Amino acid sequence: MRDHWRVVKLNEKAEVPVVGLIRGASPGAARALSGQIDRIVVTPDRVLIVDYKTVRPPPRHENEVSAVYLQQLASYRAALERIYPGRPVSCAILWT
């Protein structure tokens, strides 16, 4: 287990800028994305995006999470899927 965490730590980055074009709402359309990912972990098998939120109190259930937050993470995922093709990209919100 200790070796696993060492590998993850080596591939972890904080406050990563992300800029690019992602798929737009209509077919063939693109939209610009410019943001900053709070934490990203890249392994040979997958990518994990973690976004920190300080909303008090945090939502009690998934369906109470703001649509704005979900769209933000979906945009980040779309960009990273282009950067890391073939790797699943997962997203998480960490309520601090």
Side-chain angles (χ1 to χ4, degrees):
M1 186 65 118
R2 180 175 289 171
D3 290 336
H4 170 74
W5 288 110
R6 188 175 308 142
V7 169
V8 169
K9 207 164 189 174
L10 290 175
N11 292 305
E12 176 184 11
K13 296 195 183 319
E15 303 199 11
V16 177
V18 59
V19 177
L21 292 176
I22 59 174
R23 188 176 309 161
S26 17
R31 66 181 178 96
L33 168 70
S34 177
Q36 185 164 298
I37 298 173
D38 292 329
R39 180 82 48 184
I40 182 172
V41 179
V42 179
T43 72
D45 301 323
R46 63 179 242 164
V47 178
L48 172 63
I49 298 166
V50 180
D51 193 54
Y52 302 137
K53 297 296 181 200
T54 56
V55 173
R56 295 284 183 215
R60 292 177 156 233
H61 304 283
E62 285 181 40
N63 62 349
E64 296 173 351
V65 176
S66 168
V68 172
Y69 297 158
L70 299 177
Q71 181 58 49
Q72 175 189 15
L73 289 174
S75 296
Y76 291 165
R77 178 175 28 199
L80 291 182
E81 285 172 341
R82 294 186 68 186
I83 296 169
Y84 299 100
R87 295 187 210 184
V89 179
S90 302
C91 301
I93 296 175
L94 177 62
W95 304 97
T96 61

mmCIF file of all heavy atoms in Angstrom, residues 4-36:
data_model
loop_
_atom_site.group_PDB
_atom_site.id
_atom_site.type_symbol
_atom_site.label_atom_id
_atom_site.label_comp_id
_atom_site.label_asym_id
_atom_site.label_seq_id
_atom_site.Cartn_x
_atom_site.Cartn_y
_atom_site.Cartn_z
ATOM 1 N N HIS A 4 1.924 2.319 -3.455
ATOM 2 C CA HIS A 4 0.832 2.898 -4.235
ATOM 3 C C HIS A 4 0.725 4.398 -3.974
ATOM 4 O O HIS A 4 0.621 5.196 -4.896
ATOM 5 C CB HIS A 4 -0.486 2.203 -3.888
ATOM 6 C CG HIS A 4 -1.681 2.899 -4.458
ATOM 7 N ND1 HIS A 4 -1.999 2.844 -5.787
ATOM 8 C CD2 HIS A 4 -2.616 3.679 -3.871
ATOM 9 C CE1 HIS A 4 -3.080 3.564 -6.004
ATOM 10 N NE2 HIS A 4 -3.480 4.072 -4.856
ATOM 11 N N TRP A 5 0.759 4.808 -2.740
ATOM 12 C CA TRP A 5 0.628 6.224 -2.415
ATOM 13 C C TRP A 5 1.829 7.019 -2.897
ATOM 14 O O TRP A 5 1.698 8.163 -3.297
ATOM 15 C CB TRP A 5 0.396 6.419 -0.921
ATOM 16 C CG TRP A 5 -0.966 5.976 -0.553
ATOM 17 C CD1 TRP A 5 -1.305 4.877 0.177
ATOM 18 C CD2 TRP A 5 -2.198 6.566 -0.951
ATOM 19 N NE1 TRP A 5 -2.662 4.760 0.261
ATOM 20 C CE2 TRP A 5 -3.234 5.794 -0.419
ATOM 21 C CE3 TRP A 5 -2.523 7.678 -1.709
ATOM 22 C CZ2 TRP A 5 -4.568 6.104 -0.614
ATOM 23 C CZ3 TRP A 5 -3.858 7.987 -1.899
ATOM 24 C CH2 TRP A 5 -4.860 7.210 -1.359
ATOM 25 N N ARG A 6 2.992 6.421 -2.890
ATOM 26 C CA ARG A 6 4.168 7.113 -3.396
ATOM 27 C C ARG A 6 3.988 7.427 -4.877
ATOM 28 O O ARG A 6 4.283 8.526 -5.331
ATOM 29 C CB ARG A 6 5.412 6.251 -3.181
ATOM 30 C CG ARG A 6 6.687 6.993 -3.518
ATOM 31 C CD ARG A 6 7.933 6.198 -3.201
ATOM 32 N NE ARG A 6 7.908 5.723 -1.839
ATOM 33 C CZ ARG A 6 8.348 4.536 -1.455
ATOM 34 N NH1 ARG A 6 8.856 3.700 -2.329
ATOM 35 N NH2 ARG A 6 8.299 4.174 -0.195
ATOM 36 N N VAL A 7 3.476 6.477 -5.657
ATOM 37 C CA VAL A 7 3.262 6.692 -7.085
ATOM 38 C C VAL A 7 2.221 7.783 -7.302
ATOM 39 O O VAL A 7 2.408 8.690 -8.100
ATOM 40 C CB VAL A 7 2.820 5.379 -7.769
ATOM 41 C CG1 VAL A 7 2.345 5.650 -9.187
ATOM 42 C CG2 VAL A 7 3.975 4.398 -7.785
ATOM 43 N N VAL A 8 1.115 7.729 -6.572
ATOM 44 C CA VAL A 8 0.071 8.739 -6.719
ATOM 45 C C VAL A 8 0.622 10.114 -6.406
ATOM 46 O O VAL A 8 0.385 11.069 -7.113
ATOM 47 C CB VAL A 8 -1.145 8.403 -5.817
ATOM 48 C CG1 VAL A 8 -2.102 9.570 -5.751
ATOM 49 C CG2 VAL A 8 -1.846 7.162 -6.333
ATOM 50 N N LYS A 9 1.392 10.223 -5.341
ATOM 51 C CA LYS A 9 1.925 11.520 -4.947
ATOM 52 C C LYS A 9 2.824 12.116 -6.030
ATOM 53 O O LYS A 9 2.816 13.310 -6.263
ATOM 54 C CB LYS A 9 2.690 11.370 -3.630
ATOM 55 C CG LYS A 9 2.719 12.618 -2.851
ATOM 56 C CD LYS A 9 3.107 12.375 -1.442
ATOM 57 C CE LYS A 9 2.886 13.653 -0.722
ATOM 58 N NZ LYS A 9 3.035 13.715 0.608
ATOM 59 N N LEU A 10 3.590 11.293 -6.715
ATOM 60 C CA LEU A 10 4.466 11.788 -7.762
ATOM 61 C C LEU A 10 3.684 12.354 -8.953
ATOM 62 O O LEU A 10 4.180 13.203 -9.669
ATOM 63 C CB LEU A 10 5.398 10.674 -8.247
ATOM 64 C CG LEU A 10 6.465 10.233 -7.258
ATOM 65 C CD1 LEU A 10 7.232 9.035 -7.807
ATOM 66 C CD2 LEU A 10 7.415 11.373 -6.945
ATOM 67 N N ASN A 11 2.468 11.872 -9.161
ATOM 68 C CA ASN A 11 1.674 12.288 -10.309
ATOM 69 C C ASN A 11 0.569 13.259 -9.925
ATOM 70 O O ASN A 11 -0.382 13.435 -10.666
ATOM 71 C CB ASN A 11 1.066 11.058 -10.985
ATOM 72 C CG ASN A 11 2.138 10.221 -11.624
ATOM 73 O OD1 ASN A 11 2.897 10.719 -12.428
ATOM 74 N ND2 ASN A 11 2.211 8.969 -11.246
ATOM 75 N N GLU A 12 0.666 13.888 -8.799
ATOM 76 C CA GLU A 12 -0.363 14.787 -8.302
ATOM 77 C C GLU A 12 0.098 16.229 -8.475
ATOM 78 O O GLU A 12 1.234 16.567 -8.195
ATOM 79 C CB GLU A 12 -0.578 14.465 -6.821
ATOM 80 C CG GLU A 12 -1.528 15.359 -6.129
ATOM 81 C CD GLU A 12 -1.612 15.022 -4.649
ATOM 82 O OE1 GLU A 12 -0.798 14.241 -4.136
ATOM 83 O OE2 GLU A 12 -2.500 15.585 -4.012
ATOM 84 N N LYS A 13 -0.812 17.067 -8.975
ATOM 85 C CA LYS A 13 -0.478 18.484 -9.162
ATOM 86 C C LYS A 13 -1.623 19.336 -8.629
ATOM 87 O O LYS A 13 -2.786 18.953 -8.699
ATOM 88 C CB LYS A 13 -0.245 18.778 -10.632
ATOM 89 C CG LYS A 13 0.954 18.039 -11.203
ATOM 90 C CD LYS A 13 1.362 18.629 -12.513
ATOM 91 C CE LYS A 13 2.487 17.908 -13.185
ATOM 92 N NZ LYS A 13 3.558 17.447 -12.436
ATOM 93 N N ALA A 14 -1.266 20.496 -8.096
ATOM 94 C CA ALA A 14 -2.260 21.418 -7.544
ATOM 95 C C ALA A 14 -2.367 22.660 -8.418
ATOM 96 O O ALA A 14 -1.387 23.096 -9.023
ATOM 97 C CB ALA A 14 -1.879 21.815 -6.120
ATOM 98 N N GLU A 15 -3.573 23.213 -8.462
ATOM 99 C CA GLU A 15 -3.850 24.477 -9.146
ATOM 100 C C GLU A 15 -3.302 24.481 -10.573
ATOM 101 O O GLU A 15 -2.465 25.299 -10.944
ATOM 102 C CB GLU A 15 -3.335 25.641 -8.318
ATOM 103 C CG GLU A 15 -3.954 25.612 -6.928
ATOM 104 C CD GLU A 15 -3.884 26.927 -6.203
ATOM 105 O OE1 GLU A 15 -3.552 27.939 -6.828
ATOM 106 O OE2 GLU A 15 -4.180 26.925 -5.007
ATOM 107 N N VAL A 16 -3.825 23.550 -11.362
ATOM 108 C CA VAL A 16 -3.375 23.351 -12.732
ATOM 109 C C VAL A 16 -4.247 24.166 -13.686
ATOM 110 O O VAL A 16 -5.459 23.971 -13.741
ATOM 111 C CB VAL A 16 -3.456 21.856 -13.111
ATOM 112 C CG1 VAL A 16 -3.051 21.638 -14.557
ATOM 113 C CG2 VAL A 16 -2.601 21.023 -12.165
ATOM 114 N N PRO A 17 -3.644 25.091 -14.430
ATOM 115 C CA PRO A 17 -4.444 25.845 -15.406
ATOM 116 C C PRO A 17 -4.864 24.935 -16.554
ATOM 117 O O PRO A 17 -4.098 24.062 -16.974
ATOM 118 C CB PRO A 17 -3.491 26.939 -15.889
ATOM 119 C CG PRO A 17 -2.136 26.533 -15.468
ATOM 120 C CD PRO A 17 -2.263 25.500 -14.392
ATOM 121 N N VAL A 18 -6.078 25.132 -17.030
ATOM 122 C CA VAL A 18 -6.572 24.370 -18.177
ATOM 123 C C VAL A 18 -7.229 25.348 -19.143
ATOM 124 O O VAL A 18 -8.069 26.159 -18.757
ATOM 125 C CB VAL A 18 -7.533 23.236 -17.755
ATOM 126 C CG1 VAL A 18 -8.733 23.748 -17.019
ATOM 127 C CG2 VAL A 18 -7.967 22.402 -18.932
ATOM 128 N N VAL A 19 -6.769 25.299 -20.396
ATOM 129 C CA VAL A 19 -7.286 26.174 -21.447
ATOM 130 C C VAL A 19 -7.430 25.317 -22.693
ATOM 131 O O VAL A 19 -6.547 24.522 -23.008
ATOM 132 C CB VAL A 19 -6.306 27.339 -21.733
ATOM 133 C CG1 VAL A 19 -6.809 28.202 -22.869
ATOM 134 C CG2 VAL A 19 -6.083 28.172 -20.484
ATOM 135 N N GLY A 20 -8.543 25.473 -23.384
ATOM 136 C CA GLY A 20 -8.709 24.704 -24.607
ATOM 137 C C GLY A 20 -10.094 24.858 -25.191
ATOM 138 O O GLY A 20 -10.926 25.618 -24.691
ATOM 139 N N LEU A 21 -10.321 24.118 -26.262
ATOM 140 C CA LEU A 21 -11.634 24.073 -26.899
ATOM 141 C C LEU A 21 -12.276 22.740 -26.561
ATOM 142 O O LEU A 21 -11.633 21.690 -26.668
ATOM 143 C CB LEU A 21 -11.508 24.218 -28.415
ATOM 144 C CG LEU A 21 -11.044 25.571 -28.918
ATOM 145 C CD1 LEU A 21 -10.861 25.530 -30.434
ATOM 146 C CD2 LEU A 21 -12.033 26.664 -28.535
ATOM 147 N N ILE A 22 -13.531 22.796 -26.149
ATOM 148 C CA ILE A 22 -14.276 21.576 -25.869
ATOM 149 C C ILE A 22 -15.552 21.601 -26.691
ATOM 150 O O ILE A 22 -15.946 22.639 -27.228
ATOM 151 C CB ILE A 22 -14.586 21.421 -24.367
ATOM 152 C CG1 ILE A 22 -15.387 22.596 -23.829
ATOM 153 C CG2 ILE A 22 -13.301 21.239 -23.578
ATOM 154 C CD1 ILE A 22 -15.845 22.414 -22.399
ATOM 155 N N ARG A 23 -16.192 20.458 -26.782
ATOM 156 C CA ARG A 23 -17.410 20.338 -27.568
ATOM 157 C C ARG A 23 -18.475 21.297 -27.074
ATOM 158 O O ARG A 23 -18.721 21.415 -25.876
ATOM 159 C CB ARG A 23 -17.919 18.898 -27.471
ATOM 160 C CG ARG A 23 -19.063 18.604 -28.395
ATOM 161 C CD ARG A 23 -19.460 17.161 -28.346
ATOM 162 N NE ARG A 23 -18.275 16.336 -28.542
ATOM 163 C CZ ARG A 23 -18.202 15.066 -28.210
ATOM 164 N NH1 ARG A 23 -19.208 14.465 -27.641
ATOM 165 N NH2 ARG A 23 -17.095 14.375 -28.413
ATOM 166 N N GLY A 24 -19.112 21.972 -28.010
ATOM 167 C CA GLY A 24 -20.186 22.907 -27.678
ATOM 168 C C GLY A 24 -21.532 22.206 -27.619
ATOM 169 O O GLY A 24 -21.631 20.985 -27.785
ATOM 170 N N ALA A 25 -22.578 22.980 -27.409
ATOM 171 C CA ALA A 25 -23.926 22.432 -27.257
ATOM 172 C C ALA A 25 -24.481 21.868 -28.563
ATOM 173 O O ALA A 25 -25.211 20.889 -28.562
ATOM 174 C CB ALA A 25 -24.861 23.498 -26.696
ATOM 175 N N SER A 26 -24.137 22.484 -29.699
ATOM 176 C CA SER A 26 -24.648 21.977 -30.971
ATOM 177 C C SER A 26 -23.584 21.141 -31.672
ATOM 178 O O SER A 26 -22.391 21.351 -31.478
ATOM 179 C CB SER A 26 -25.109 23.093 -31.885
ATOM 180 O OG SER A 26 -24.637 24.337 -31.532
ATOM 181 N N PRO A 27 -24.016 20.192 -32.489
ATOM 182 C CA PRO A 27 -23.066 19.320 -33.201
ATOM 183 C C PRO A 27 -22.061 20.135 -34.014
ATOM 184 O O PRO A 27 -22.430 21.058 -34.725
ATOM 185 C CB PRO A 27 -23.961 18.477 -34.110
ATOM 186 C CG PRO A 27 -25.319 18.545 -33.491
ATOM 187 C CD PRO A 27 -25.393 19.874 -32.795
ATOM 188 N N GLY A 28 -20.804 19.787 -33.869
ATOM 189 C CA GLY A 28 -19.742 20.461 -34.600
ATOM 190 C C GLY A 28 -19.287 21.777 -34.000
ATOM 191 O O GLY A 28 -18.315 22.359 -34.454
ATOM 192 N N ALA A 29 -19.976 22.239 -32.982
ATOM 193 C CA ALA A 29 -19.612 23.514 -32.351
ATOM 194 C C ALA A 29 -18.586 23.270 -31.246
ATOM 195 O O ALA A 29 -18.535 22.205 -30.651
ATOM 196 C CB ALA A 29 -20.844 24.194 -31.766
ATOM 197 N N ALA A 30 -17.781 24.283 -30.994
ATOM 198 C CA ALA A 30 -16.790 24.210 -29.913
ATOM 199 C C ALA A 30 -16.939 25.459 -29.052
ATOM 200 O O ALA A 30 -17.440 26.487 -29.505
ATOM 201 C CB ALA A 30 -15.379 24.134 -30.481
ATOM 202 N N ARG A 31 -16.510 25.335 -27.820
ATOM 203 C CA ARG A 31 -16.509 26.510 -26.948
ATOM 204 C C ARG A 31 -15.183 26.556 -26.206
ATOM 205 O O ARG A 31 -14.548 25.524 -25.961
ATOM 206 C CB ARG A 31 -17.697 26.522 -26.009
ATOM 207 C CG ARG A 31 -17.729 25.445 -24.981
ATOM 208 C CD ARG A 31 -19.008 25.577 -24.125
ATOM 209 N NE ARG A 31 -19.086 24.529 -23.151
ATOM 210 C CZ ARG A 31 -18.682 24.627 -21.887
ATOM 211 N NH1 ARG A 31 -18.167 25.750 -21.439
ATOM 212 N NH2 ARG A 31 -18.787 23.621 -21.054
ATOM 213 N N ALA A 32 -14.782 27.755 -25.872
ATOM 214 C CA ALA A 32 -13.507 27.959 -25.188
ATOM 215 C C ALA A 32 -13.659 27.670 -23.700
ATOM 216 O O ALA A 32 -14.687 27.972 -23.101
ATOM 217 C CB ALA A 32 -13.019 29.383 -25.399
ATOM 218 N N LEU A 33 -12.624 27.093 -23.136
ATOM 219 C CA LEU A 33 -12.575 26.815 -21.702
ATOM 220 C C LEU A 33 -11.298 27.416 -21.145
ATOM 221 O O LEU A 33 -10.222 27.255 -21.717
ATOM 222 C CB LEU A 33 -12.585 25.305 -21.443
ATOM 223 C CG LEU A 33 -12.253 24.869 -20.019
ATOM 224 C CD1 LEU A 33 -13.384 25.241 -19.065
ATOM 225 C CD2 LEU A 33 -12.000 23.381 -19.955
ATOM 226 N N SER A 34 -11.422 28.121 -20.052
ATOM 227 C CA SER A 34 -10.271 28.643 -19.331
ATOM 228 C C SER A 34 -10.591 28.533 -17.854
ATOM 229 O O SER A 34 -11.573 29.102 -17.374
ATOM 230 C CB SER A 34 -10.020 30.100 -19.719
ATOM 231 O OG SER A 34 -8.944 30.616 -18.957
ATOM 232 N N GLY A 35 -9.793 27.760 -17.123
ATOM 233 C CA GLY A 35 -10.062 27.568 -15.705
ATOM 234 C C GLY A 35 -8.831 27.071 -14.980
ATOM 235 O O GLY A 35 -7.731 27.042 -15.542
ATOM 236 N N GLN A 36 -9.048 26.674 -13.758
ATOM 237 C CA GLN A 36 -7.955 26.154 -12.947
ATOM 238 C C GLN A 36 -8.479 24.966 -12.146
ATOM 239 O O GLN A 36 -9.444 25.098 -11.403
ATOM 240 C CB GLN A 36 -7.443 27.235 -12.006
ATOM 241 C CG GLN A 36 -6.225 26.795 -11.227
ATOM 242 C CD GLN A 36 -5.528 27.974 -10.611
ATOM 243 O OE1 GLN A 36 -5.058 28.853 -11.312
ATOM 244 N NE2 GLN A 36 -5.452 27.997 -9.299
#
